[in-house]
Amino acid sequence: NVGSIVSGLVVIIYSTFGGIKAVAITDVLQFAILIVIVPIIANVSSTQLGGIQNMISITNEIYPELFSISHMF
């Protein structure tokens, strides 16, 4: 709870003193990191699990409802 309050205060102070330019720069950096890191994580996890097909098979064994639309209705 204290961490949430401190984090919120840091964001408010950062936004107030840095203005919209600081927020925009932070958003651009987060986007760039996301565009680089997500494909790397997907590639590494897929490789570690033996490929996409094997990853789907493992996931289907653990959570068979995930790839079935019948549980949605």
Side-chain angles (χ1 to χ4, degrees), residues 1 6 10 33 39 46 48 59-60 65 67 72:
N1 199 6
V6 171
V10 167
I33 290 169
S46 173
Q48 291 290 323
T59 305
N60 198 24
E65 298 87 21
F67 298 114
M72 293 181 190

Side-chain angles (χ1 to χ4, degrees), residues 24-51:
I25 290 171
T26 303
D27 287 346
V28 169
L29 289 174
Q30 287 176 352
F31 175 74
I33 290 169
L34 185 70
I35 291 299
V36 171
I37 296 297
V38 166
I40 291 172
I41 290 173
N43 188 21
V44 169
S45 61
S46 173
T47 303
Q48 291 290 323
L49 290 173

